[in-house]
Amino acid sequence: MIRSFSFMLIILTINCAYIFGNSTKKVNVLFILADDGGFEMGAYRNRICQTPNLDRLAKNGLLFNKAFTSVSSCSPSRAALLTGMPSHQNGMYGLHQGVHHFDSFGDVRSLPQILKEHGIRTGIIGKKHVGPEAAYPFDFSETEENNSILQVGRNITHIKLLTRQFLNNSTGQFFLYIGLHDPHRCGHTNPEYGQFCQHFGNGEPGMGLIPDWHPIYYQPDELQLPYFLPNTWQTRLDVAAQYTTISRLDQGVGLILQELKASGHENDTLVIFSSDNGIPFPNGRTNMYDTGVQEPMVLSSPLHPQRKNQVTNSLASLLDVVPTITDWFGIDGTEKNEPVLTGKSLLPLLVKEPADKSKEAVFGSHNLHEVTMYYPMRMVRTQRYKLIHNINYYSPFPIDQDLYLSPTFQDILNNTIMNKNTYWYKSLQQYYTRPEWELYDLKYDPEELNNIVKKNSSSYVFKELQQRLSDWQKRTNDPWICSPHAVFEDTGSFKSNPQCLGLDNLW
């Protein structure tokens, strides 16, 4: 009996060491990020889209049912992921691109900076889409900044070779971040390759050839459409093209994991897979509804076999990535007077499921996508409820350029103009026009169609979530904390007593 107890104590001590970074074992991290990817995986019960490599990764790790991005937009999401701070706190308010030049604040400290200071080699392959360079410095960098994004983001043979190059030249600990560009739309910028670049590299005349990619084509009438998409032929054609590029992403993940194994690091590397935001369809990307912010996520740890092939329903956020990775490397996240991050390490979930999830919450902060798309929103989501604050609610909800040109949106738009059935679960009028506050009971209304904010029976929940959201905004220094009905003053005579000063616009 004593021997059994001693053995259990040793195992518990080892597990705790791995959780809290006290192990002397040299460990590494491989982070793989899809671009606008959703739940098109067998592991998430999609029976049509073929994803054997992602499914194998899920079986070898912990699958998250309730993981969320903090902002449903490419650059803001990536900046939040790499800093642990929401977009209003790190300064990446919209898309980082040449024309409009959104950047994070110059003094922001990101994951590659933190890891570099601790002697950990960092690398990025594929889509970066954040800046400035000084805030996101990787030791090894093969991105759209020095390559064609099609080559470093979609050419999985090239990505495989770049992964091999990085791993073969890493003698110490490493963090490798691979930003696959699939299944992002490309019909807006490269229409010759199809809506999702599904023809790029498939061997057809003029399309080039990606040697390691074996395209899978889907019959539109056999697809499982998500509930929030219109059930039309145009949408089915659109989703079929998306599925084909999911096959490229999946096969790329398989090649990357093969390179990890060949390098001898399969048994000392934490592998994380997720996506930056919702899929590029109506009600998806740029929205704070679950269809815009809920993400696939897998954590596969060689040091935690007890959670392999299991599922967690605990709430997780991409704001948790920095605390998780620094925890994995045993780095104290409170050093150098850095801002206190509101995310948490996910490593304890690799040991056991929390007994009580009732107090869990994730938060969201959206300001812009493209520069013309000013529509600030804040969100708090618990296990049961979702509260969205639409700060610019007098304005119609904006539509981004590549979504606008998509067959799915054009079909909705044209059918609406001609007063025809859109076969969608919303009307465009409902989609464009939103109230200031939206409150949903996700237990009874998972589709987020029944706004209960004005119900007397919901007043307590509304006030409680408003307070939680306000507290989070204060902790993260949100400049929009008083908007839209007041002006925030925190300088001069208000320096020691910041206040929201009311405006005469309370109608």
Side-chain angles (χ1 to χ4, degrees):
M1 187 73 175
I2 295 175
R3 181 177 299 174
S4 176
F5 176 77
S6 300
F7 177 75
M8 290 176 63
L9 185 61
I10 291 170
I11 294 297
L12 180 61
T13 303
I14 291 172
N15 279 336
C16 288
Y18 285 145
I19 294 171
F20 298 107
N22 296 322
S23 172
T24 57
K25 184 177 178 66
K26 297 296 184 182
V27 292
N28 310 291
V29 173
L30 169 63
F31 192 100
I32 304 174
L33 190 69
D35 197 354
D36 295 359
F39 296 91
E40 306 84 13
M41 296 167 51
Y44 284 108
R45 299 183 178 180
N46 188 313
R47 296 182 177 86
I48 303 299
C49 196
Q50 302 299 300
T51 55
N53 296 291
L54 288 170
D55 297 344
R56 192 176 303 115
L57 178 63
K59 288 181 180 178
N60 200 42
L62 181 64
L63 186 73
F64 284 71
N65 271 341
K66 295 178 180 176
F68 300 86
T69 182
S70 69
V71 50
S72 191
S73 174
C74 301
S75 297
S77 174
R78 292 160 193 268
L81 184 158
L82 289 170
T83 63
M85 295 184 285
S87 61
H88 64 254
Q89 190 179 18
N90 70 55
M92 185 68 74
Y93 298 139
L95 296 182
H96 172 74
Q97 54 189 18
V99 178
H100 305 302
H101 204 256
F102 284 107
D103 267 336
S104 291
F105 298 132
D107 60 351
V108 161
R109 279 171 50 75
S110 68
L111 193 56
Q113 287 176 308
I114 296 168
L115 298 182
K116 187 190 294 274
E117 292 169 1
H118 288 82
I120 298 165
R121 187 168 185 250
T122 63
I124 180 171
I125 297 170
K127 187 171 181 178
K128 186 177 183 182
H129 212 30
V130 292
E133 172 64 26
Y136 301 94
F138 287 85
D139 298 313
F140 177 92
S141 182
E142 297 292 341
T143 71
E144 75 277 10
E145 295 179 351
N146 55 353
N147 296 270
S148 161
I149 185 59
L150 293 176
Q151 295 301 327
V152 294
R154 301 190 197 259
N155 184 339
I156 59 175
T157 298
H158 190 45
I159 293 167
K160 173 190 74 174
L161 297 175
L162 290 173
T163 302
R164 182 181 302 172
Q165 181 182 342
F166 175 84
L167 294 173
N168 287 348
N169 288 283
S170 297
T171 55
Q173 291 180 282
F174 65 80
F175 165 66
L176 177 57
Y177 171 101
I178 300 181
L180 298 169
H181 199 23
D182 285 323
H184 194 286
R185 288 187 183 273
C186 80
H188 173 60
T189 53
N190 293 100
E192 67 274 20
Y193 294 124
Q195 277 294 320
F196 286 88
C197 275
Q198 69 270 20
H199 304 304
F200 175 73
N202 69 358
E204 294 177 1
M207 298 295 105
L209 177 66
I210 300 173
D212 288 296
W213 182 35
H214 305 286
I216 300 174
Y217 300 103
Y218 295 87
Q219 297 299 319
D221 57 338
E222 296 179 356
L223 301 181
Q224 294 175 286
L225 290 182
Y227 71 87
F228 59 95
L229 297 189
N231 189 5
T232 65
W233 187 249
Q234 288 299 322
T235 300
R236 288 182 170 276
L237 290 171
D238 218 7
V239 173
Q242 179 206 25
Y243 277 19
T244 294
T245 56
I246 290 289
S247 76
R248 184 166 54 203
L249 178 148
D250 177 74
Q251 291 170 39
V253 169
L255 294 173
I256 292 164
L257 294 178
Q258 286 176 21
E259 292 300 322
L260 182 70
K261 183 177 182 179
S263 71
H265 289 294
E266 183 181 38
N267 294 321
D268 57 30
T269 300
L270 174 69
V271 179
I272 305 174
F273 171 80
S274 191
S275 179
D276 56 349
N277 45 247
I279 63 175
F281 285 86
N283 224 72
R285 187 182 64 196
T286 74
N287 283 275
M288 282 295 180
Y289 304 122
D290 274 9
T291 49
V293 293
Q294 193 168 4
E295 305 301 331
M297 182 181 282
V298 176
L299 261 64
S300 178
S301 165
L303 309 181
H304 299 84
Q306 65 270 38
R307 290 289 267 169
K308 288 184 185 297
N309 201 23
Q310 293 193 16
V311 172
T312 177
N313 286 305
S314 187
L315 298 182
S317 167
L318 290 187
L319 293 176
D320 299 332
V321 169
V322 169
T324 299
I325 292 177
T326 54
D327 190 9
W328 177 261
F329 283 118
I331 296 171
D332 183 0
T334 61
E335 56 191 34
K336 285 201 172 186
N337 297 316
E338 295 175 10
V340 177
L341 303 182
T342 56
K344 63 186 182 303
S345 173
L346 300 175
L347 295 190
L349 293 175
L350 292 175
V351 176
K352 65 178 182 179
E353 189 76 356
D356 182 11
K357 306 182 187 72
S358 62
K359 301 299 182 184
E360 293 181 341
V362 291
F363 297 87
S365 168
H366 181 99
N367 300 299
L368 301 99
H369 184 67
E370 295 165 2
V371 71
T372 56
M373 296 176 64
Y374 179 70
Y375 203 85
M377 298 175 282
R378 299 296 181 266
M379 176 203 79
V380 55
R381 189 202 195 277
T382 65
Q383 285 284 351
R384 178 167 176 176
Y385 294 101
K386 159 87 69 68
L387 179 66
I388 301 172
H389 188 196
N390 297 309
I391 296 171
N392 198 31
Y393 64 100
Y394 280 117
S395 174
F397 189 79
I399 306 299
D400 60 276
Q401 291 174 314
D402 62 346
L403 174 62
Y404 180 83
L405 293 179
S406 71
T408 298
F409 186 79
Q410 284 294 307
D411 202 37
I412 293 174
L413 184 62
N414 291 332
N415 285 333
T416 300
I417 292 171
M418 293 184 291
N419 292 316
K420 292 183 177 180
N421 191 344
T422 64
Y423 299 96
W424 195 28
Y425 80 140
K426 291 183 177 180
S427 68
L428 272 185
Q429 180 67 25
Q430 290 172 321
Y431 191 63
Y432 292 153
T433 307
R434 306 184 183 190
E436 180 177 3
W437 295 97
E438 297 179 72
L439 176 62
Y440 299 104
D441 185 341
L442 301 171
K443 179 178 180 180
Y444 297 105
D445 180 29
E447 296 180 353
E448 297 168 282
L449 290 173
N450 183 25
N451 184 6
I452 60 173
V453 73
K454 292 184 178 181
K455 286 191 173 183
N456 291 335
S457 59
S458 306
S459 60
Y460 175 78
V461 173
F462 179 41
K463 290 177 182 178
E464 180 187 23
L465 292 183
Q466 267 190 315
Q467 188 61 55
R468 292 188 75 168
L469 185 58
S470 177
D471 291 344
W472 180 74
Q473 289 181 270
K474 290 175 183 176
R475 290 181 63 195
T476 55
N477 301 314
D478 189 350
W480 281 266
I481 191 168
C482 301
S483 299
H485 301 299
V487 173
F488 181 55
E489 292 287 0
D490 64 345
T491 59
S493 58
F494 296 96
K495 187 172 183 179
S496 59
N497 185 28
Q499 294 186 38
C500 292
L501 303 181
L503 298 164
D504 185 24
N505 65 347
L506 299 178
W507 55 85

PDB file of all heavy atoms in Angstrom, residues 199-220:
ATOM      1  N   HIS A 199      -7.532  25.402 -57.603  1.00  0.00           N
ATOM      2  CA  HIS A 199      -6.838  24.907 -58.798  1.00  0.00           C
ATOM      3  C   HIS A 199      -5.326  25.107 -58.717  1.00  0.00           C
ATOM      4  O   HIS A 199      -4.589  24.518 -59.508  1.00  0.00           O
ATOM      5  CB  HIS A 199      -7.360  25.618 -60.053  1.00  0.00           C
ATOM      6  CG  HIS A 199      -8.840  25.501 -60.247  1.00  0.00           C
ATOM      7  ND1 HIS A 199      -9.487  24.284 -60.300  1.00  0.00           N
ATOM      8  CD2 HIS A 199      -9.798  26.447 -60.389  1.00  0.00           C
ATOM      9  CE1 HIS A 199     -10.785  24.485 -60.473  1.00  0.00           C
ATOM     10  NE2 HIS A 199     -11.004  25.786 -60.525  1.00  0.00           N
ATOM     11  N   PHE A 200      -4.861  25.924 -57.801  1.00  0.00           N
ATOM     12  CA  PHE A 200      -3.431  26.225 -57.695  1.00  0.00           C
ATOM     13  C   PHE A 200      -2.646  24.956 -57.365  1.00  0.00           C
ATOM     14  O   PHE A 200      -2.866  24.309 -56.344  1.00  0.00           O
ATOM     15  CB  PHE A 200      -3.193  27.281 -56.610  1.00  0.00           C
ATOM     16  CG  PHE A 200      -1.741  27.558 -56.345  1.00  0.00           C
ATOM     17  CD1 PHE A 200      -0.976  28.268 -57.267  1.00  0.00           C
ATOM     18  CD2 PHE A 200      -1.134  27.115 -55.190  1.00  0.00           C
ATOM     19  CE1 PHE A 200       0.369  28.529 -57.031  1.00  0.00           C
ATOM     20  CE2 PHE A 200       0.202  27.373 -54.931  1.00  0.00           C
ATOM     21  CZ  PHE A 200       0.961  28.074 -55.862  1.00  0.00           C
ATOM     22  N   GLY A 201      -1.736  24.594 -58.272  1.00  0.00           N
ATOM     23  CA  GLY A 201      -0.866  23.454 -58.032  1.00  0.00           C
ATOM     24  C   GLY A 201      -1.488  22.100 -58.285  1.00  0.00           C
ATOM     25  O   GLY A 201      -0.922  21.073 -57.896  1.00  0.00           O
ATOM     26  N   ASN A 202      -2.658  22.058 -58.973  1.00  0.00           N
ATOM     27  CA  ASN A 202      -3.334  20.764 -59.154  1.00  0.00           C
ATOM     28  C   ASN A 202      -2.914  20.032 -60.422  1.00  0.00           C
ATOM     29  O   ASN A 202      -3.434  18.968 -60.735  1.00  0.00           O
ATOM     30  CB  ASN A 202      -4.853  20.930 -59.115  1.00  0.00           C
ATOM     31  CG  ASN A 202      -5.406  21.677 -60.327  1.00  0.00           C
ATOM     32  OD1 ASN A 202      -4.664  22.112 -61.207  1.00  0.00           O
ATOM     33  ND2 ASN A 202      -6.732  21.838 -60.373  1.00  0.00           N
ATOM     34  N   GLY A 203      -1.983  20.618 -61.188  1.00  0.00           N
ATOM     35  CA  GLY A 203      -1.471  19.948 -62.374  1.00  0.00           C
ATOM     36  C   GLY A 203      -2.207  20.260 -63.652  1.00  0.00           C
ATOM     37  O   GLY A 203      -1.780  19.831 -64.736  1.00  0.00           O
ATOM     38  N   GLU A 204      -3.320  21.001 -63.583  1.00  0.00           N
ATOM     39  CA  GLU A 204      -4.024  21.401 -64.793  1.00  0.00           C
ATOM     40  C   GLU A 204      -3.190  22.428 -65.564  1.00  0.00           C
ATOM     41  O   GLU A 204      -2.320  23.085 -64.995  1.00  0.00           O
ATOM     42  CB  GLU A 204      -5.393  21.995 -64.426  1.00  0.00           C
ATOM     43  CG  GLU A 204      -6.357  21.005 -63.800  1.00  0.00           C
ATOM     44  CD  GLU A 204      -7.663  21.663 -63.393  1.00  0.00           C
ATOM     45  OE1 GLU A 204      -7.812  22.885 -63.612  1.00  0.00           O
ATOM     46  OE2 GLU A 204      -8.526  20.961 -62.827  1.00  0.00           O
ATOM     47  N   PRO A 205      -3.429  22.601 -66.863  1.00  0.00           N
ATOM     48  CA  PRO A 205      -2.648  23.565 -67.658  1.00  0.00           C
ATOM     49  C   PRO A 205      -2.673  24.966 -67.041  1.00  0.00           C
ATOM     50  O   PRO A 205      -3.741  25.502 -66.734  1.00  0.00           O
ATOM     51  CB  PRO A 205      -3.345  23.545 -69.024  1.00  0.00           C
ATOM     52  CG  PRO A 205      -3.948  22.177 -69.106  1.00  0.00           C
ATOM     53  CD  PRO A 205      -4.382  21.844 -67.705  1.00  0.00           C
ATOM     54  N   GLY A 206      -1.497  25.527 -66.818  1.00  0.00           N
ATOM     55  CA  GLY A 206      -1.374  26.873 -66.272  1.00  0.00           C
ATOM     56  C   GLY A 206      -1.507  26.978 -64.768  1.00  0.00           C
ATOM     57  O   GLY A 206      -1.356  28.067 -64.206  1.00  0.00           O
ATOM     58  N   MET A 207      -1.777  25.859 -64.109  1.00  0.00           N
ATOM     59  CA  MET A 207      -2.001  25.887 -62.662  1.00  0.00           C
ATOM     60  C   MET A 207      -0.775  25.472 -61.867  1.00  0.00           C
ATOM     61  O   MET A 207      -0.739  25.630 -60.649  1.00  0.00           O
ATOM     62  CB  MET A 207      -3.171  24.971 -62.275  1.00  0.00           C
ATOM     63  CG  MET A 207      -4.512  25.374 -62.877  1.00  0.00           C
ATOM     64  SD  MET A 207      -5.124  26.972 -62.284  1.00  0.00           S
ATOM     65  CE  MET A 207      -4.804  28.015 -63.718  1.00  0.00           C
ATOM     66  N   GLY A 208       0.257  24.955 -62.551  1.00  0.00           N
ATOM     67  CA  GLY A 208       1.426  24.460 -61.834  1.00  0.00           C
ATOM     68  C   GLY A 208       1.142  23.141 -61.139  1.00  0.00           C
ATOM     69  O   GLY A 208       0.035  22.596 -61.214  1.00  0.00           O
ATOM     70  N   LEU A 209       2.156  22.611 -60.457  1.00  0.00           N
ATOM     71  CA  LEU A 209       2.011  21.308 -59.808  1.00  0.00           C
ATOM     72  C   LEU A 209       2.673  21.332 -58.433  1.00  0.00           C
ATOM     73  O   LEU A 209       3.838  21.693 -58.297  1.00  0.00           O
ATOM     74  CB  LEU A 209       2.650  20.211 -60.659  1.00  0.00           C
ATOM     75  CG  LEU A 209       2.624  18.802 -60.059  1.00  0.00           C
ATOM     76  CD1 LEU A 209       1.175  18.305 -59.967  1.00  0.00           C
ATOM     77  CD2 LEU A 209       3.481  17.844 -60.874  1.00  0.00           C
ATOM     78  N   ILE A 210       1.912  20.959 -57.428  1.00  0.00           N
ATOM     79  CA  ILE A 210       2.448  20.729 -56.082  1.00  0.00           C
ATOM     80  C   ILE A 210       2.610  19.218 -55.943  1.00  0.00           C
ATOM     81  O   ILE A 210       1.615  18.491 -55.814  1.00  0.00           O
ATOM     82  CB  ILE A 210       1.507  21.279 -55.001  1.00  0.00           C
ATOM     83  CG1 ILE A 210       1.306  22.782 -55.182  1.00  0.00           C
ATOM     84  CG2 ILE A 210       2.054  20.980 -53.610  1.00  0.00           C
ATOM     85  CD1 ILE A 210       0.256  23.384 -54.247  1.00  0.00           C
ATOM     86  N   PRO A 211       3.845  18.699 -55.991  1.00  0.00           N
ATOM     87  CA  PRO A 211       4.060  17.246 -56.068  1.00  0.00           C
ATOM     88  C   PRO A 211       3.400  16.452 -54.958  1.00  0.00           C
ATOM     89  O   PRO A 211       2.928  15.331 -55.187  1.00  0.00           O
ATOM     90  CB  PRO A 211       5.591  17.125 -56.020  1.00  0.00           C
ATOM     91  CG  PRO A 211       6.095  18.432 -56.538  1.00  0.00           C
ATOM     92  CD  PRO A 211       5.112  19.459 -56.071  1.00  0.00           C
ATOM     93  N   ASP A 212       3.365  16.989 -53.744  1.00  0.00           N
ATOM     94  CA  ASP A 212       2.853  16.227 -52.608  1.00  0.00           C
ATOM     95  C   ASP A 212       1.340  16.341 -52.423  1.00  0.00           C
ATOM     96  O   ASP A 212       0.778  15.709 -51.529  1.00  0.00           O
ATOM     97  CB  ASP A 212       3.538  16.684 -51.314  1.00  0.00           C
ATOM     98  CG  ASP A 212       4.980  16.230 -51.234  1.00  0.00           C
ATOM     99  OD1 ASP A 212       5.212  15.005 -51.194  1.00  0.00           O
ATOM    100  OD2 ASP A 212       5.885  17.086 -51.238  1.00  0.00           O
ATOM    101  N   TRP A 213       0.692  17.158 -53.249  1.00  0.00           N
ATOM    102  CA  TRP A 213      -0.748  17.346 -53.069  1.00  0.00           C
ATOM    103  C   TRP A 213      -1.530  16.448 -54.015  1.00  0.00           C
ATOM    104  O   TRP A 213      -1.301  16.439 -55.221  1.00  0.00           O
ATOM    105  CB  TRP A 213      -1.134  18.807 -53.324  1.00  0.00           C
ATOM    106  CG  TRP A 213      -2.598  19.078 -53.106  1.00  0.00           C
ATOM    107  CD1 TRP A 213      -3.402  18.494 -52.168  1.00  0.00           C
ATOM    108  CD2 TRP A 213      -3.425  19.974 -53.846  1.00  0.00           C
ATOM    109  NE1 TRP A 213      -4.685  18.989 -52.266  1.00  0.00           N
ATOM    110  CE2 TRP A 213      -4.729  19.901 -53.286  1.00  0.00           C
ATOM    111  CE3 TRP A 213      -3.209  20.848 -54.910  1.00  0.00           C
ATOM    112  CZ2 TRP A 213      -5.796  20.661 -53.769  1.00  0.00           C
ATOM    113  CZ3 TRP A 213      -4.264  21.596 -55.375  1.00  0.00           C
ATOM    114  CH2 TRP A 213      -5.541  21.515 -54.818  1.00  0.00           C
ATOM    115  N   HIS A 214      -2.449  15.702 -53.433  1.00  0.00           N
ATOM    116  CA  HIS A 214      -3.343  14.849 -54.204  1.00  0.00           C
ATOM    117  C   HIS A 214      -4.757  15.371 -53.979  1.00  0.00           C
ATOM    118  O   HIS A 214      -5.418  15.015 -52.986  1.00  0.00           O
ATOM    119  CB  HIS A 214      -3.209  13.390 -53.754  1.00  0.00           C
ATOM    120  CG  HIS A 214      -1.786  12.898 -53.815  1.00  0.00           C
ATOM    121  ND1 HIS A 214      -1.156  12.604 -55.006  1.00  0.00           N
ATOM    122  CD2 HIS A 214      -0.860  12.692 -52.838  1.00  0.00           C
ATOM    123  CE1 HIS A 214       0.077  12.216 -54.768  1.00  0.00           C
ATOM    124  NE2 HIS A 214       0.299  12.270 -53.467  1.00  0.00           N
ATOM    125  N   PRO A 215      -5.230  16.249 -54.876  1.00  0.00           N
ATOM    126  CA  PRO A 215      -6.517  16.930 -54.655  1.00  0.00           C
ATOM    127  C   PRO A 215      -7.682  15.957 -54.498  1.00  0.00           C
ATOM    128  O   PRO A 215      -7.731  14.901 -55.136  1.00  0.00           O
ATOM    129  CB  PRO A 215      -6.681  17.789 -55.910  1.00  0.00           C
ATOM    130  CG  PRO A 215      -5.300  17.950 -56.456  1.00  0.00           C
ATOM    131  CD  PRO A 215      -4.588  16.682 -56.128  1.00  0.00           C
ATOM    132  N   ILE A 216      -8.580  16.328 -53.635  1.00  0.00           N
ATOM    133  CA  ILE A 216      -9.827  15.585 -53.449  1.00  0.00           C
ATOM    134  C   ILE A 216     -10.957  16.501 -53.891  1.00  0.00           C
ATOM    135  O   ILE A 216     -11.042  17.649 -53.464  1.00  0.00           O
ATOM    136  CB  ILE A 216     -10.026  15.167 -51.980  1.00  0.00           C
ATOM    137  CG1 ILE A 216      -8.873  14.267 -51.521  1.00  0.00           C
ATOM    138  CG2 ILE A 216     -11.358  14.444 -51.793  1.00  0.00           C
ATOM    139  CD1 ILE A 216      -8.912  13.933 -50.038  1.00  0.00           C
ATOM    140  N   TYR A 217     -11.818  16.001 -54.758  1.00  0.00           N
ATOM    141  CA  TYR A 217     -12.924  16.804 -55.276  1.00  0.00           C
ATOM    142  C   TYR A 217     -14.242  16.274 -54.721  1.00  0.00           C
ATOM    143  O   TYR A 217     -14.410  15.070 -54.504  1.00  0.00           O
ATOM    144  CB  TYR A 217     -12.918  16.784 -56.801  1.00  0.00           C
ATOM    145  CG  TYR A 217     -11.637  17.343 -57.377  1.00  0.00           C
ATOM    146  CD1 TYR A 217     -10.652  16.490 -57.890  1.00  0.00           C
ATOM    147  CD2 TYR A 217     -11.388  18.706 -57.380  1.00  0.00           C
ATOM    148  CE1 TYR A 217      -9.465  17.008 -58.400  1.00  0.00           C
ATOM    149  CE2 TYR A 217     -10.211  19.230 -57.884  1.00  0.00           C
ATOM    150  CZ  TYR A 217      -9.246  18.372 -58.393  1.00  0.00           C
ATOM    151  OH  TYR A 217      -8.079  18.882 -58.879  1.00  0.00           O
ATOM    152  N   TYR A 218     -15.177  17.188 -54.501  1.00  0.00           N
ATOM    153  CA  TYR A 218     -16.406  16.852 -53.800  1.00  0.00           C
ATOM    154  C   TYR A 218     -17.633  17.152 -54.663  1.00  0.00           C
ATOM    155  O   TYR A 218     -17.637  18.122 -55.431  1.00  0.00           O
ATOM    156  CB  TYR A 218     -16.496  17.626 -52.486  1.00  0.00           C
ATOM    157  CG  TYR A 218     -15.408  17.233 -51.509  1.00  0.00           C
ATOM    158  CD1 TYR A 218     -14.155  17.856 -51.542  1.00  0.00           C
ATOM    159  CD2 TYR A 218     -15.618  16.228 -50.570  1.00  0.00           C
ATOM    160  CE1 TYR A 218     -13.149  17.482 -50.661  1.00  0.00           C
ATOM    161  CE2 TYR A 218     -14.615  15.848 -49.692  1.00  0.00           C
ATOM    162  CZ  TYR A 218     -13.386  16.480 -49.738  1.00  0.00           C
ATOM    163  OH  TYR A 218     -12.386  16.105 -48.877  1.00  0.00           O
ATOM    164  N   GLN A 219     -18.633  16.333 -54.511  1.00  0.00           N
ATOM    165  CA  GLN A 219     -19.898  16.528 -55.212  1.00  0.00           C
ATOM    166  C   GLN A 219     -20.759  17.512 -54.406  1.00  0.00           C
ATOM    167  O   GLN A 219     -21.071  17.247 -53.233  1.00  0.00           O
ATOM    168  CB  GLN A 219     -20.646  15.203 -55.370  1.00  0.00           C
ATOM    169  CG  GLN A 219     -19.907  14.181 -56.216  1.00  0.00           C
ATOM    170  CD  GLN A 219     -19.668  14.684 -57.633  1.00  0.00           C
ATOM    171  OE1 GLN A 219     -20.541  15.307 -58.233  1.00  0.00           O
ATOM    172  NE2 GLN A 219     -18.474  14.423 -58.159  1.00  0.00           N
ATOM    173  N   PRO A 220     -21.135  18.645 -54.991  1.00  0.00           N
ATOM    174  CA  PRO A 220     -21.877  19.656 -54.232  1.00  0.00           C
ATOM    175  C   PRO A 220     -23.164  19.141 -53.591  1.00  0.00           C
ATOM    176  O   PRO A 220     -23.528  19.576 -52.499  1.00  0.00           O
ATOM    177  CB  PRO A 220     -22.184  20.722 -55.289  1.00  0.00           C
ATOM    178  CG  PRO A 220     -21.100  20.564 -56.310  1.00  0.00           C
ATOM    179  CD  PRO A 220     -20.814  19.095 -56.357  1.00  0.00           C
TER     180      PRO A 220
END
